[in-house]
Amino acid sequence: MAKIQLNGKKITINSKSSIQDLLKKYNLINKKIAIELNGIIIPKIKFKKKYLKNKDKVEVVHFIGGG
Amino acid sequence: MKDIFKVANKKLKSRLIVGTGKYKNFQETAKAVEASGADMVTVAVRRVNILDKKKPILTDYLNPKKIIFLPNTAGCFNSSDALRTLRLAREMGGWKLVKLEVLGDKKTLYPNMIETVKSTKILTKEGFKVMVYCTDDPLLAKKLEDNGAVAIMPLASPIGSGLGLQNKINISMIIKQSKVPVIVDAGIGTASDATVAMELGCDGVLINSAIAMAKKPILMAKAFKDAVISGRNSYLAGRMEKNYIASPSSPTKGLI
């Protein structure tokens, strides 16, 4: 198991989870989203191979209404 | 005569750009956008709500393939936050045409122009096409253009205030000097304000609160659509000279 922070909330995930696995868990596959891992933007093509480790900070953002 | 509105080589059918914030729900947002006739909408970048997987999201109601999404940096108070937001927006789907706003003060939501100029320069270097929310100072507007801004977006009055065009003189000066489109952004209160802005020669207007906060937002969206078309036509037609004495509308010859 690994403890990570997702959008400011502490969560526990299986060890050896990739970003893709995380997105699957939260129903976010094929959604218009962008990911930042520890402050660095991760391109979509790397989602499957980028594994998460303890204390990682992940931000998942999307578009909302705004002026 | 063809009257084409282009921002950074993107042709737009409507000179009205609308925001998507402050609506009651997404249905209302989508209906108002449709009624406005706008082909470009501004959108904000925020964290996904991970606790509620079934909550509807904006893209369920507005299709970015059918309407141009203009990601903005609303809520950013410094250059690094604004850059971070727009880099994420680009990652989401290749958005290069973006709206930059770097705020300087929570009470007035006035832009911090020093950070804004700095960010415009960096973003342009990174290949972004930056439409820039700014004060109505002609010198700073010129500075933005010199640093690569593809559209100058001066405020009419503070964001969400509905106070309308407070400094027509400055807006006119910016219009005269700019080689890129000038789009009045923020502060428009009602449809006639948009007409006045368009009559001054603005290339477009960006409206959010005046539509979303109207008692009937969808009807107000339609009012803005007509107001912008009217203002543009009036500008192109060229108004009559102002006279300080009367001139009869009917011929005096042949009076009985």
Side-chain angles (χ1 to χ4, degrees), chain A residues 7 36 59-60 62 64 66-67, chain B residues 20 42 44 46-48 72 84:
Chain A
N7 284 359
E36 212 183 61
E59 293 284 343
V60 188
H62 67 159
I64 64 149
Chain B
T20 54
T42 57
R46 292 290 183 273
R47 279 174 167 171
V48 169
N72 72 15
R84 181 186 182 198

Side-chain angles (χ1 to χ4, degrees), chain A residues 5-9 11 25-28 31-36 39 41-45 59-67, chain B residues 19-21 42-48 50-51 53 57-58 60 64 69 71-72 84 87-89 91-93 95 99 101 208:
Chain A
Q5 203 172 310
L6 174 61
N7 284 359
K9 292 188 179 63
I11 61 157
K25 188 173 164 177
Y26 287 95
N27 256 345
L28 292 166
K31 298 271 184 196
K32 279 241 173 297
I33 50 128
I35 302 268
E36 212 183 61
I41 295 173
I42 308 295
K44 273 187 192 72
I45 46 161
E59 293 284 343
V60 188
V61 297
H62 67 159
F63 288 131
I64 64 149
Chain B
T20 54
T42 57
V43 291
V45 176
R46 292 290 183 273
R47 279 174 167 171
V48 169
I50 49 161
L51 296 177
K53 296 180 198 173
I57 57 170
L58 182 71
D60 294 336
F69 274 33
N72 72 15
R84 181 186 182 198
R87 286 169 186 149
L88 280 163
E91 189 53 40
M92 255 182 268
W95 276 271
K99 176 187 153 185
E101 68 177 65
N208 193 156

Side-chain angles (χ1 to χ4, degrees), chain B residues 40-229:
Chain B
M40 181 185 270
V41 298
T42 57
V43 291
V45 176
R46 292 290 183 273
R47 279 174 167 171
V48 169
N49 181 352
I50 49 161
L51 296 177
D52 192 352
K53 296 180 198 173
K54 284 191 180 132
K55 215 176 168 191
I57 57 170
L58 182 71
T59 40
D60 294 336
Y61 292 84
L62 288 175
N63 184 351
K65 279 181 188 145
K66 286 186 183 152
I67 195 145
I68 302 163
F69 274 33
L70 183 67
N72 72 15
T73 59
C76 292
F77 281 83
N78 58 58
S79 179
S80 62
D81 284 350
L83 297 175
R84 181 186 182 198
T85 300
L86 293 178
R87 286 169 186 149
L88 280 163
R90 176 165 61 182
E91 189 53 40
M92 255 182 268
W95 276 271
K96 277 189 183 158
L97 185 61
V98 293
K99 176 187 153 185
L100 173 71
E101 68 177 65
V102 188
L103 303 174
D105 173 56
K106 282 195 171 138
K107 197 171 172 191
T108 60
L109 296 180
Y110 246 62
N112 177 335
M113 290 305 295
I114 298 161
E115 294 280 295
T116 301
V117 172
K118 196 170 101 184
S119 312
T120 303
K121 196 174 181 177
I122 298 170
L123 288 165
T124 303
K125 268 194 190 148
E126 288 183 17
F128 283 98
K129 308 281 178 203
V130 199
M131 299 169 72
V132 192
Y133 169 63
C134 58
T135 54
D136 58 11
D137 179 330
L139 291 181
L140 289 169
K142 181 72 176 41
K143 192 118 198 148
L144 290 174
E145 195 174 338
D146 292 344
N147 279 286
V150 300
I152 306 295
M153 305 174 84
L155 50 84
S157 47
I159 294 175
S161 70
L163 291 171
L165 270 181
Q166 288 298 320
N167 198 341
K168 289 198 245 176
I169 314 286
N170 277 27
I171 300 287
S172 294
M173 283 195 245
I174 293 172
I175 293 167
K176 270 199 196 107
Q177 71 178 20
S178 301
K179 290 185 184 75
V180 294
V182 176
I183 299 163
V184 163
D185 179 5
I188 296 284
T190 191
S192 54
D193 294 339
T195 307
V196 173
M198 294 307 292
E199 281 180 329
L200 284 179
C202 284
D203 295 278
V205 292
L206 197 162
I207 315 287
N208 193 156
S209 302
I211 298 176
M213 303 311 283
K215 289 192 180 67
K216 295 180 181 173
I218 296 150
L219 186 56
M220 190 56 95
K222 167 82 168 67
F224 268 100
K225 178 186 181 180
D226 296 338
V228 168
I229 293 170

